Every structure is written in C-alpha cells, then in structure tokens.
Amino acid sequence: MSTGSDEFLPVAARGLVKRYGHVVALGGIDLTVHPGDVYGFLGPNGAGKTTALRMLLGLLRPDAGAVSLFGRDPQRELPAALDGVAGFVETPHFYPYLSGRTNLELFAAFDGGDARSRIDPLLELVALTDRAHDKVGGYSQGMRQRLGIAVSLLRDPKLLILDEPTNGLDPRGMRDMRSLIRRLAGEGMTVLLSSHLLGEVEEVCTRVAIIAAGAIVYEGTLTELHASSSVRYRLRTTDPRRAVAVCVATDGVRDVDVFDDDVTFVATEDSVLTLSRALVDAGLGIAALVPETETLEQLFLELTDARDSELRLAGAA
Amino acid sequence: MRPTVLTAYRWELRKLVSQKRTYIGIGAAVVLPVVFVVVMALQSGGPYDAPLGHNLRQTGIALALVLLTFVSRFGAQLATALVAGDIVASEHAGGTLKMIFTRSLRRGQILGGKTLASFTYVLVLLVALLVAALVSGTIAWGFDPVTNFSGTHVAAGHALALTVGALALFAAPLLAVAAFALFLSVVTRNSSAAIVGTLVYALAQEALAGLVHLDFFRHYLLSDQFDGWHGLFHSPTAWTPIVRALWVSAIFTAVPLAIAFGVFRRRDVAGE
C-alpha cells in the first residue's frame, strides 16, 4: 500500500522483510527512489540486493512490508504495476535456440503496444545488429548483458531496474554499459542499479542505498554520505610532539595519531577552529591543516563492518 | 494493445518448432507405422489378437487403429511427457521465466499459452501417426472396408471417418496425460522429474487396471479411457465407453491443470 507522498515515486519500498527459515534475507528495509535518480543499490554479495529487486519486480512476495512503483503495488497489481518499468535480476536469460532478434520479437510481443517498432534501433544501440540473426546460445556473456538492456528498453520504461549490469563484462564493455546508463539517465529515465562495485556506483549514481546483512545502513546522496562521516584532518607543524599534546587537550578532537611528521586526528569543524587558535597560542607554526575526505570504499567498509559487528553482538547476546 | 493468451500460445508454438525435442515424438509417430508395415511384410504372422487386428493385411485403414492400442500403453505418454513435462520446468532451469514474468502478460495467460501449445503438440502427434499409418497401410494393404467388433463390414470411406473419430477420442485421455505432465512441470520445476513422474503416473494406472478386476473402479481410471474409441466400431455404436472416456478424461485434465494454475500464479521466483 502506498502513502500519499509515495504515490508518484518511481520506487517506494517500506519495511520489506524476507526470511528463509532462520535466515533473515531482508530485515525491514526502506528504499525511496525519486524521479530522475540514478540510484545505486550497493552492498556486498549476499546482502539482500537481489532479493529486494525481485520484490520490486513482483517475482518474490515479502513476508512483511509493501512496495509501490509509481503508486502501484507489484505484489497485487501485476502486470499493470510494471507499466513503465523494466529490468532484470541477476543475469538476463534468453531462449538459446532462438536468435537475438527473435528473442526481442518474443519479448516485444509479450509487451504489446509498439514495442516491436523499437527492435531495430535498440539492436543498434546495444551494438548487436550484426549478430541479431545468430542464436543466443552462441552469444558471449557481454552480448547477453547488452541484449538484456535492449529487452528492457523495449518497454520504453520510465524506471529501469538493473541488477549488476556490468557483471561478466570486460573493461571496455563495462565502460560502454556505464556510458549507456548515463545516457539513459540524461534522457530523463530513472535508474535503479544494484552493484557491489564502488567505483561503478561513484561514477554513475546520484543517490545510493547501502545494504548490509539485510538492513539499509545508509540512504542518501554521495555528497551527504561523505559529509556525514567524521572528517579526519592532517596537521603539519613546527613541533609534532607539542602539537599532539595540544590536540589531545582540545575538546572534540579524537583519534590523534602521528605518521612521519604529520599529526592526524578526527574532529568537527568547530573543534578545528578552537584547535587552530590553541596551536597558535602555544607558539607552533602551522604548515598545513587539511581535511582528508574518506573514499567511498572506506565509508562502505565502515558502514557494512558496523552492521556485521551489530549482528555479532546480537548473536552473542 | 495488451497481449493476450493467444500471444503466449503463438510464441509457445514458435518455441516448440525451434526445439529438437519436439521432433522426437513426432518423428517416432511418423516412423512407427512404416516400421510396423516393414516388420509385417517380413513375417507371416501378426498381432491379430489386438483390437481390430484381424483386419490387418485386409485393409490399410486398420493399421492406425491397431497402432493406437500399441502406443496407448507407453509410447504416447512418453512422447507427450517429453514436451508437456518440459514446457515450464525448462524455463525455470533456463532462467527465462523471471524474464517473461516482468512483461505485460499475466501469469495465467503465460501458462494458458503453454497449456494450449502442449495440447496442440498432442494433436499434431496423433495426426502425424494417423497420416503416416494411413499412407503406409494403404500402400501395403489397400484401402478396403473394415470388419468391426460386431462383425459388420464398414465401408472404407465410413471406416476412415470413424478412424479420425477414434483418434479424436484417443486424444482426450492423452490430453489428460499432458495436463498431468504440465502440472508436474510447474510443481517440480524439473524436466526430468516431470517426464519420469508422468510415466510413473501412466504406468501406475495401467498396473492398477490390471490388478483390480472391479469394473466399477477400472472403468474410471485414465488408462481405460484410451480404449473408449472401441465404441465407434460396434454396430450399433456403443456410446457408454465413448461418453465415459470424454468426461473421465475431462476430470483428469481439469484437476491437475487447476492446481498447476494456482501454483503458477502465486509462485515466488527465487534462485533461478
């Protein structure tokens, strides 16, 4: 059931739960994808990404919670709830004894409308025109991934859901796929993209959700994610030993450490202002005081490790 | 325009035409009458004790009818199970089910298309058997009247019409076998299990019919309905086994199909 505010959202998932026996695949997650987002659904393998995507596409029923796509429930209103929605979970699969083109014709027939008229331009878009009449059984993994994109775009979707779309692609294929996703997003399509590749998410996504062990540990923009983290600073002074003493004595400054002649510490912006005055009052010359932004990988590991620790503690209790 | 069950049906036929497995049963249906005629030509005896077998070597029309008895024990069920038992399970195994579930067809329409395609295959199988048997039988033994179970001579043209009717009646229990294979294909998600399970189902009914001598019970097993067409070759026509073959087969078709549709429409697609 969608709330009023969720009605026009491409994706609004609320409290999704899925259990397999004692294993909790999803522990009550929320996802909110806004129009025009390139939304990265990030998490380690087995975190629950594909389970959640299956629920969005109506392939899997949640034990609890609700999903709405543009205000329609894919658990109750199929196939109407998937109007304007396309995508695939895990690797796209096709009929290996049919040609790429015939596969597209089949899916176009199953879509109805004017899907068939898009076949030729889409074959060209995914660079499969030359191999269109070959049986899919002879296609490489990369060609199947590209055909998967073409099959999705047959529906002329407003929301495209892709599960690890660069899986099995060589570096050039990955680059082309990301470029295609950016291009589609540039044309106004909303994209929900699951991945465990941080670089990929950083490169193409505007907002992210990070999932670990069936729970969302972060949802928002990448900029907010970087801003929300405690910032580590690097300080170079004329006397590192005395600088450490000043840092330790300043409120709000923690995790003080020394690497070579540099002092590093974690602090809020206000504490850094106080510290800089204290350093000057102590007669220390400041050569550098710079924030060190954490990489997405560091943030990802901090968030997912924290979730793992929570689960271990809960298990021990 | 939204796709319909006919869209699914048309594409299921296209898929069947593109798969080698489809031609195993049809090929066997075409080859079997020819082999039968060759074997008969190489020996003096024959299966004259088979229903209407006394007409063999008298008229080619009898060949199709004798073959119905032969294939009703095992062959027809195997050929049917090869396709109907595979038609859903292979899509689970191949991962294509989750692809077509996210299109604009309802799940019921998808299974409806598969059911119609399986049934069409069964009918094509029987037509192939009929045509091959009539052609090879007529070449070997001519196109002459048939002596029916009551000892009445039936003119060749009329006998041909009755033979077509016999195949149509024979199709009823065979469609029930296809329905059961489809049900197993949905429930087990495994082609081999569905094919073997269908054969066990058919053989178990055959064995039960052999063990139980209570007519009341035996007449309502599916295996007995494969002989329903005998009623056409009595003078006058014996309607009781014909009508029973139709309604008993209809029940044996409807029950597994209803369960299959129920399971298919609510199935979670995870892990394929």
Side-chain angles (χ1 to χ4, degrees):
Chain A
M1 190 192 302
S2 61
T3 65
S5 58
D6 291 343
E7 199 168 325
F8 301 105
L9 289 173
V11 177
R14 302 290 175 253
L16 290 182
V17 174
K18 188 69 185 176
R19 296 185 195 88
Y20 295 102
H22 295 299
V23 178
V24 179
L26 289 179
I29 69 163
D30 292 350
L31 293 174
T32 305
V33 180
H34 298 290
D37 276 352
V38 180
Y39 187 94
F41 193 24
L42 192 58
N45 290 331
K49 300 188 296 291
T50 299
T51 300
L53 295 189
R54 284 180 195 277
M55 289 176 182
L56 299 187
L57 289 169
L59 295 171
L60 191 64
R61 282 166 297 172
D63 295 326
V67 178
S68 93
L69 306 175
F70 298 107
R72 282 177 147 167
D73 183 351
Q75 298 296 327
R76 295 161 189 252
E77 299 173 63
L78 284 178
L82 294 181
D83 281 350
V85 179
F88 53 82
V89 288
E90 296 178 320
T91 314
H93 288 86
F94 301 97
Y95 301 98
Y97 47 83
L98 299 178
S99 71
R101 185 184 184 83
T102 308
N103 267 283
L104 284 173
E105 286 170 357
L106 182 152
F107 285 105
F110 280 22
D111 287 334
D114 57 353
R116 195 182 166 90
S117 67
R118 297 189 194 98
I119 290 176
D120 285 323
L122 285 173
L123 280 169
E124 201 163 323
L125 179 75
V126 298
L128 283 174
T129 305
D130 293 343
R131 298 290 304 273
H133 293 284
D134 294 348
K135 287 185 177 173
V136 169
Y139 279 20
S140 68
Q141 175 71 20
M143 291 166 72
R144 287 174 198 229
Q145 290 286 86
R146 277 157 33 214
L147 191 62
I149 295 283
V151 160
S152 299
L153 296 179
L154 277 175
R155 294 171 68 76
D156 193 21
K158 291 182 287 177
L159 168 65
L160 183 61
I161 297 175
L162 300 173
D163 190 11
E164 314 252 4
T166 55
N167 247 3
L169 299 186
D170 60 25
R172 180 185 291 271
M174 291 169 92
R175 187 197 63 188
D176 292 346
M177 181 67 77
R178 288 167 192 163
S179 159
L180 176 61
I181 291 167
R182 278 196 299 268
R183 177 175 157 189
L184 295 171
E187 291 168 4
M189 193 179 293
T190 303
V191 181
L192 167 53
L193 162 82
S194 92
S195 182
H196 64 277
L197 301 175
L198 303 170
E200 178 169 286
V201 168
E202 201 153 29
E203 194 179 327
V204 300
C205 296
T206 52
R207 294 180 68 239
V208 297
I210 298 178
I211 184 170
I216 299 291
V217 290
Y218 176 78
E219 188 183 37
T221 65
L222 284 170
T223 314
E224 287 164 355
L225 176 61
H226 285 296
S228 68
S229 61
S230 301
V231 178
R232 179 165 287 277
Y233 288 84
R234 185 169 57 82
L235 170 66
R236 183 170 296 167
T237 65
T238 48
D239 187 343
R241 186 173 295 180
R242 283 177 58 209
V244 167
V246 175
C247 286
V248 169
T250 306
D251 283 345
V253 176
R254 58 190 171 84
D255 297 344
V256 181
D257 215 336
V258 180
F259 289 105
D260 297 329
D261 286 339
D262 289 352
V263 180
T264 67
F265 58 87
V266 173
T268 61
E269 205 167 288
D270 288 344
S271 305
V272 172
L273 289 173
T274 308
L275 174 66
S276 60
R277 285 190 209 103
L279 289 168
V280 172
D281 291 346
L284 294 169
I286 301 174
L289 176 54
V290 289
E292 289 187 326
T293 309
E294 283 187 288
T295 63
L296 181 59
E297 183 176 355
Q298 287 169 316
L299 293 170
F300 174 81
L301 290 173
E302 278 173 20
L303 290 165
T304 53
D305 288 351
R307 171 67 180 161
D308 288 343
S309 302
E310 271 176 38
L311 288 178
R312 271 197 299 275
L313 285 172
Chain B
M1 194 176 70
R2 283 241 177 229
T4 65
V5 68
L6 290 178
T7 312
Y9 172 54
R10 190 166 61 85
W11 276 97
E12 285 304 327
L13 291 182
R14 176 97 182 250
K15 285 191 272 179
L16 285 181
V17 167
S18 304
Q19 294 178 80
K20 289 177 188 151
R21 159 189 306 259
T22 309
Y23 298 99
I24 296 173
I26 294 173
V30 170
V31 168
L32 181 66
V34 178
V35 171
F36 200 93
V37 166
V38 171
V39 170
M40 290 283 286
L42 293 175
Q43 63 183 32
S44 55
Y48 298 127
D49 54 341
L52 299 178
H54 56 277
N55 286 283
L56 284 172
R57 297 186 198 274
Q58 310 296 321
T59 171
I61 299 171
L63 180 60
L65 300 166
V66 170
L67 285 178
L68 281 188
T69 303
F70 274 82
V71 300
S72 69
R73 301 293 171 244
F74 184 77
Q77 288 90 335
L78 174 61
T80 299
L82 275 176
V83 166
D86 180 69
I87 201 161
V88 176
S90 63
E91 297 234 22
H92 272 293
T96 45
L97 208 54
K98 66 186 178 194
M99 299 287 287
I100 56 176
F101 274 1
T102 56
R103 316 309 289 195
S104 299
L105 274 171
R106 293 178 189 282
R107 290 187 180 193
Q109 291 174 317
I110 292 170
L111 191 59
K114 288 183 179 296
T115 306
L116 290 174
S118 300
F119 286 4
T120 302
Y121 166 78
V122 168
L123 298 178
V124 169
L125 197 67
L126 291 178
V127 168
L129 181 74
L130 175 68
V131 171
L134 284 174
V135 170
S136 53
T138 302
I139 290 170
W141 300 308
F143 189 71
D144 295 305
V146 170
T147 306
N148 72 10
F149 292 108
S150 308
T152 307
H153 286 276
V154 182
H158 187 206
L160 176 62
L162 289 177
T163 303
V164 172
L167 253 89
L169 263 180
F170 188 87
L174 201 53
L175 292 178
V177 171
F180 190 80
L182 201 85
F183 155 74
L184 284 184
S185 193
V186 169
V187 172
T188 66
R189 312 180 194 203
N190 181 308
S191 293
S192 304
I195 293 166
V196 173
T198 303
L199 292 180
V200 170
Y201 169 75
L203 290 173
Q205 298 227 15
E206 194 72 39
L208 264 179
L211 284 171
V212 180
H213 293 289
L214 293 171
D215 280 353
F216 176 78
F217 183 75
R218 193 163 52 86
H219 286 333
Y220 299 101
L221 289 171
L222 190 59
S223 53
D224 214 51
Q225 314 320 315
F226 283 104
D227 296 334
W229 61 270
H230 292 184
L232 292 171
F233 286 86
H234 280 90
S235 300
T237 302
W239 287 106
T240 303
I242 294 171
V243 172
R244 189 170 54 222
L246 289 173
W247 73 259
V248 171
S249 299
I251 291 173
F252 273 91
T253 304
V255 172
L257 274 187
I259 300 170
F261 271 80
V263 171
F264 193 75
R265 289 168 69 170
R266 291 188 53 77
R267 153 147 308 156
D268 279 344
V269 184
E272 282 99 11

